[in-house]
Amino acid sequence: MGWSRWRTGWFLGGILLLGVALLPPVAPFAHEDFRGHMVQHMLIGMYAPPALVLAAPVTLLLRTLPAASGRRLTSALHSPPARVAAHPAVALALSTGSLAVLYFTPLYNATMGNAAAHWLLHAHFLMSGCLFAYVIAGPDPAPARPGVRARLCYLGVAIAAHAVISQLMYGGFWVDVHASIVQVQGGAEIMYYGGDIAELLLAAALVATWRPEPRRAGRGASVTA
């Protein structure tokens, strides 16, 4: 059975978004201006991940790997560490909760002065974004994934948290970013509006990938002749 062109398109779209984020003109802008950093953050952490996740890379691996390797991958996906990592609360803390740590402590300024730390920050944005998108709307199998209502609730918390962090940043409360007020406020606006759009797209992906569970006959159902 052939692979879906839509999934291939999602993967290529995600790679394209990463390329836009990591190449000129966005990359130099991100090093010079906090607003550029926020654009880069949005692309790497909130727009590319859903596209990559919707490509269903785990399903593709399970289809192409030898049987023994596929069983090992399935076992790894159902291992206790994978179950913990795939819990929406953990994914939410890593993807959204870490933003408060980044911008309300000296961590952001430290990463800007160290190339290795800066690339680690990019990796964190990408991996945590992919994890959250996978837990919320990924078509790939996930251990103990909660129902649609629960996932929508977690997504709502993420939307609210992004809004609070960006508003605190815009108002200059607790923010620890070495940049001008204009840059910080501009970055906060990008985070506020860009985050809302990305999370609404993720909600749409959740609805689009949702499949109702088949109904099961009740135990006491009567049989008619």
PDB file of all heavy atoms in Angstrom, residues 17 29 58 83 108 131 152 166 187 193:
ATOM      1  N   LEU A  17       9.620  24.907   6.718  1.00  0.00           N
ATOM      2  CA  LEU A  17       9.497  25.882   7.811  1.00  0.00           C
ATOM      3  C   LEU A  17      10.768  25.932   8.654  1.00  0.00           C
ATOM      4  O   LEU A  17      11.207  27.016   9.066  1.00  0.00           O
ATOM      5  CB  LEU A  17       8.296  25.532   8.680  1.00  0.00           C
ATOM      6  CG  LEU A  17       6.924  25.773   8.052  1.00  0.00           C
ATOM      7  CD1 LEU A  17       5.832  25.173   8.919  1.00  0.00           C
ATOM      8  CD2 LEU A  17       6.683  27.270   7.854  1.00  0.00           C
ATOM      9  N   PHE A  29      18.442  37.921  11.543  1.00  0.00           N
ATOM     10  CA  PHE A  29      17.509  38.809  12.239  1.00  0.00           C
ATOM     11  C   PHE A  29      17.300  38.349  13.677  1.00  0.00           C
ATOM     12  O   PHE A  29      17.213  39.159  14.603  1.00  0.00           O
ATOM     13  CB  PHE A  29      16.188  38.838  11.470  1.00  0.00           C
ATOM     14  CG  PHE A  29      15.141  39.743  12.051  1.00  0.00           C
ATOM     15  CD1 PHE A  29      15.474  40.996  12.565  1.00  0.00           C
ATOM     16  CD2 PHE A  29      13.805  39.357  12.076  1.00  0.00           C
ATOM     17  CE1 PHE A  29      14.496  41.835  13.098  1.00  0.00           C
ATOM     18  CE2 PHE A  29      12.830  40.179  12.604  1.00  0.00           C
ATOM     19  CZ  PHE A  29      13.182  41.425  13.121  1.00  0.00           C
ATOM     20  N   VAL A  58       6.287   7.797  12.783  1.00  0.00           N
ATOM     21  CA  VAL A  58       6.349   6.523  13.502  1.00  0.00           C
ATOM     22  C   VAL A  58       5.616   5.434  12.727  1.00  0.00           C
ATOM     23  O   VAL A  58       6.101   4.299  12.607  1.00  0.00           O
ATOM     24  CB  VAL A  58       5.755   6.676  14.916  1.00  0.00           C
ATOM     25  CG1 VAL A  58       5.724   5.326  15.626  1.00  0.00           C
ATOM     26  CG2 VAL A  58       6.575   7.668  15.731  1.00  0.00           C
ATOM     27  N   ARG A  83       5.493   6.443  28.262  1.00  0.00           N
ATOM     28  CA  ARG A  83       4.159   6.792  28.750  1.00  0.00           C
ATOM     29  C   ARG A  83       4.186   8.098  29.542  1.00  0.00           C
ATOM     30  O   ARG A  83       3.274   8.916  29.447  1.00  0.00           O
ATOM     31  CB  ARG A  83       3.600   5.654  29.617  1.00  0.00           C
ATOM     32  CG  ARG A  83       3.182   4.438  28.813  1.00  0.00           C
ATOM     33  CD  ARG A  83       2.688   3.324  29.714  1.00  0.00           C
ATOM     34  NE  ARG A  83       2.198   2.203  28.945  1.00  0.00           N
ATOM     35  CZ  ARG A  83       0.953   2.071  28.491  1.00  0.00           C
ATOM     36  NH1 ARG A  83       0.065   3.019  28.756  1.00  0.00           N
ATOM     37  NH2 ARG A  83       0.592   1.032  27.790  1.00  0.00           N
ATOM     38  N   TYR A 108      17.676  32.981  28.932  1.00  0.00           N
ATOM     39  CA  TYR A 108      17.663  33.448  27.535  1.00  0.00           C
ATOM     40  C   TYR A 108      18.939  34.199  27.203  1.00  0.00           C
ATOM     41  O   TYR A 108      19.580  33.954  26.167  1.00  0.00           O
ATOM     42  CB  TYR A 108      16.451  34.332  27.272  1.00  0.00           C
ATOM     43  CG  TYR A 108      16.517  35.049  25.944  1.00  0.00           C
ATOM     44  CD1 TYR A 108      16.230  34.390  24.762  1.00  0.00           C
ATOM     45  CD2 TYR A 108      16.911  36.394  25.874  1.00  0.00           C
ATOM     46  CE1 TYR A 108      16.321  35.037  23.537  1.00  0.00           C
ATOM     47  CE2 TYR A 108      16.995  37.043  24.652  1.00  0.00           C
ATOM     48  CZ  TYR A 108      16.700  36.357  23.492  1.00  0.00           C
ATOM     49  OH  TYR A 108      16.801  37.001  22.285  1.00  0.00           O
ATOM     50  N   LEU A 131       6.671  16.903  20.530  1.00  0.00           N
ATOM     51  CA  LEU A 131       6.055  16.068  21.549  1.00  0.00           C
ATOM     52  C   LEU A 131       4.637  16.539  21.855  1.00  0.00           C
ATOM     53  O   LEU A 131       3.695  15.728  21.929  1.00  0.00           O
ATOM     54  CB  LEU A 131       6.907  16.084  22.819  1.00  0.00           C
ATOM     55  CG  LEU A 131       6.352  15.285  24.008  1.00  0.00           C
ATOM     56  CD1 LEU A 131       6.261  13.805  23.654  1.00  0.00           C
ATOM     57  CD2 LEU A 131       7.231  15.489  25.243  1.00  0.00           C
ATOM     58  N   LEU A 152      -8.286  18.635  24.275  1.00  0.00           N
ATOM     59  CA  LEU A 152      -8.709  20.014  24.037  1.00  0.00           C
ATOM     60  C   LEU A 152      -8.530  20.873  25.285  1.00  0.00           C
ATOM     61  O   LEU A 152      -8.187  22.061  25.188  1.00  0.00           O
ATOM     62  CB  LEU A 152     -10.165  20.044  23.573  1.00  0.00           C
ATOM     63  CG  LEU A 152     -10.422  19.617  22.123  1.00  0.00           C
ATOM     64  CD1 LEU A 152     -11.917  19.532  21.859  1.00  0.00           C
ATOM     65  CD2 LEU A 152      -9.757  20.573  21.140  1.00  0.00           C
ATOM     66  N   SER A 166       2.985  36.088  27.335  1.00  0.00           N
ATOM     67  CA  SER A 166       3.213  37.180  26.390  1.00  0.00           C
ATOM     68  C   SER A 166       2.729  38.513  26.953  1.00  0.00           C
ATOM     69  O   SER A 166       3.372  39.555  26.740  1.00  0.00           O
ATOM     70  CB  SER A 166       2.527  36.877  25.058  1.00  0.00           C
ATOM     71  OG  SER A 166       1.137  36.701  25.239  1.00  0.00           O
ATOM     72  N   GLY A 187       8.256  41.393  20.337  1.00  0.00           N
ATOM     73  CA  GLY A 187       8.353  39.940  20.483  1.00  0.00           C
ATOM     74  C   GLY A 187       7.157  39.366  21.218  1.00  0.00           C
ATOM     75  O   GLY A 187       6.659  38.286  20.878  1.00  0.00           O
ATOM     76  N   TYR A 193      -0.027  36.658  19.190  1.00  0.00           N
ATOM     77  CA  TYR A 193      -0.848  36.379  18.013  1.00  0.00           C
ATOM     78  C   TYR A 193      -0.380  35.133  17.258  1.00  0.00           C
ATOM     79  O   TYR A 193      -1.197  34.324  16.812  1.00  0.00           O
ATOM     80  CB  TYR A 193      -0.866  37.594  17.086  1.00  0.00           C
ATOM     81  CG  TYR A 193      -1.544  38.796  17.706  1.00  0.00           C
ATOM     82  CD1 TYR A 193      -0.811  39.902  18.117  1.00  0.00           C
ATOM     83  CD2 TYR A 193      -2.930  38.812  17.904  1.00  0.00           C
ATOM     84  CE1 TYR A 193      -1.435  41.008  18.703  1.00  0.00           C
ATOM     85  CE2 TYR A 193      -3.564  39.898  18.491  1.00  0.00           C
ATOM     86  CZ  TYR A 193      -2.806  40.990  18.886  1.00  0.00           C
ATOM     87  OH  TYR A 193      -3.431  42.067  19.477  1.00  0.00           O
TER      88      TYR A 193
END
